[in-house]
Amino acid sequence: MCSNLGFSTRLLAYSGAVANPARSSEEMVYEVVLKQAALVREQRREKEKGLKLNQTVDSEAMTNWDLLNDAYDRCGEVCAEYAKTFYLGTLLMTPERRKAVWAIYVWCRRTDELVDGPNASHITPKALDRWEKRLNDLFEGRPYDMYDAALSHTVKKYPVDIQPFKDMIEGMRLDLRKSRYKNFDELYLYCYYVAGTVGLMSVPVMGIAPESKASTESVYNSALALGLANQLTNILRDVGEDARRGRVYLPQDELARAGLSDEDIFRGKVTDKWRSFMKGQIKRARMLFDEAEKGVAELNSASRWPVMASLLLYRQILDSIEANDYDNFTKRAYVGKVKKILSLPVAYAKAVVGPSKMA
């Protein structure tokens, strides 16, 4: 635990977060990481003993395999429509892993749509409470619809814990009541809720390479880092868009130290102070991407390429922000099709290296 918290401590030290917190967000989140890692370790031990895991699913709805396959196919269609690059990456996985990842993606998308979708203005805390009850039911084998059925089957088949799913819903609750973050410790927790959780949900499905010598905790920590890096990148890319909705997802104390305020963001003018501030924010995101990359090599061989491709593509959004002279007020940073295509062989070359050999 100390080594992984050491990386988080470096992030906090870099951010200049609140001094001597009683219990930092990193420490709270790492407790969840340890729990998820323990579940995967237990599954690996049972596999080594030759036990057959999760042969039955409690829900009667799961017994009709044609309906279940239809449910997974529907999840794949949603993934293909709304996350084309990610969907193409999943096609490189084994059919079982691919379907499970689709099911997780669809649940996460539906959860996010509650507060960011077309009906977001009508969503209340009680609606999120109902969504959480529905989550509890599907984990107990009582799905409400086809999409729930696919996820219900997935969480029975793989050692996926409910806590990251509950934490994502908590992130949606934050979006309903909070639009400012005092420091990076607060922002870290938000990023964990809405994105770091995805990494923890996915590792049991992606699988850890049998030949990996890395600790399960370190692989989970890297998955967490990837989710955090992706969300910080989203925040940096969408500064202007969020400002138009009255939201500022940047640490208020760091803005103040840079001589900036919310008014500067709403004004939307790129200045030397803004460029300097953005350089620091981008540096932090890249540190997280670097930490995440260490864990990709430890994943199951069929999962490495799509995860590495996703990491490289998302990291390039930071390059695009720099290329736009840090104007994330009026310009949306993105990775063009040519760069995406050129990234795939690079990702493949990194992915084939294998456990504990990637630089």
Side-chain angles (χ1 to χ4, degrees), residues 236-241 244 268 270 317 320-334:
L236 299 180
R237 180 194 62 195
D238 298 338
V239 167
E241 181 182 327
R244 287 186 283 277
V270 178
I317 293 174
S320 182
I321 293 173
E322 292 172 331
N324 289 338
D325 193 28
Y326 305 99
D327 183 2
N328 41 9
F329 300 118
T330 63
K331 298 178 181 179
R332 183 177 175 85
Y334 69 95

Side-chain angles (χ1 to χ4, degrees), residues 38-62:
L39 289 171
V40 170
R41 275 200 308 273
E42 181 63 25
Q43 187 201 46
R44 294 177 83 178
R45 281 196 295 265
E46 290 181 344
K47 280 186 175 180
E48 288 171 1
K49 294 176 184 176
L51 299 178
K52 294 183 178 179
L53 298 176
N54 302 315
Q55 293 296 302
T56 61
V57 178
D58 295 337
S59 172
E60 291 181 4
M62 298 296 126

